[in-house]
Amino acid sequence: MIAGEMSKGRGAPVASGRGIREDRMSDKRGDGASKAIGAAAAFAAAFVARKVITVGWKRITGKEPPSDPQDPLVGTGEAVGYAIVMGVVMGAARVLAIRAATGRMRHAPAEPTD
């Protein structure tokens, strides 16, 4: 630990010689509702992304996307290309969907208590 710094745990302010700053590490624990909504958003995004990739692949290549990349009739370049496109688009869709869903939950007004 650097001299003059003192940490009080995750998310706590950190004192240093330059003043107090807020520790900006994200809290990944979350509650059950946010995890469930994030998982549902990721599932929906993956479903939509897969459909979009399939339609796009058909339009661009004129062929059906490879259903089994290990099939000897599928060229190596085609199999690798499809895997790269699928991985990038699915990963990006998942991240964007989860961030949008949890962002809306964070900024939603609190329910009034009786």
Side-chain angles (χ1 to χ4, degrees):
M1 188 183 282
I2 298 173
E5 282 196 21
M6 186 173 92
S7 177
K8 296 184 181 186
R10 180 184 283 226
V14 176
S16 70
R18 295 177 296 272
I20 295 179
R21 65 177 171 82
E22 189 68 30
D23 187 7
R24 298 193 186 265
M25 291 185 70
S26 66
D27 184 12
K28 296 184 181 182
R29 291 174 281 190
D31 63 346
S34 65
K35 286 184 179 180
I37 290 173
F43 179 77
F47 179 79
V48 171
R50 187 170 187 88
K51 294 293 182 183
V52 169
I53 293 167
T54 301
V55 169
W57 189 269
K58 285 179 189 176
R59 285 197 178 170
I60 291 170
T61 65
K63 298 189 285 185
E64 290 288 324
S67 59
D68 182 15
Q70 296 178 358
D71 184 358
L73 299 177
V74 176
T76 303
E78 183 180 6
V80 170
Y82 185 71
I84 290 170
V85 169
M86 183 66 82
V88 168
V89 173
M90 294 288 275
R94 180 179 169 267
V95 167
L96 292 173
I98 290 171
R99 289 181 63 96
T102 56
R104 288 184 186 188
M105 284 186 63
R106 248 182 274 140
H107 297 299
E111 292 183 20
T113 57
D114 293 334

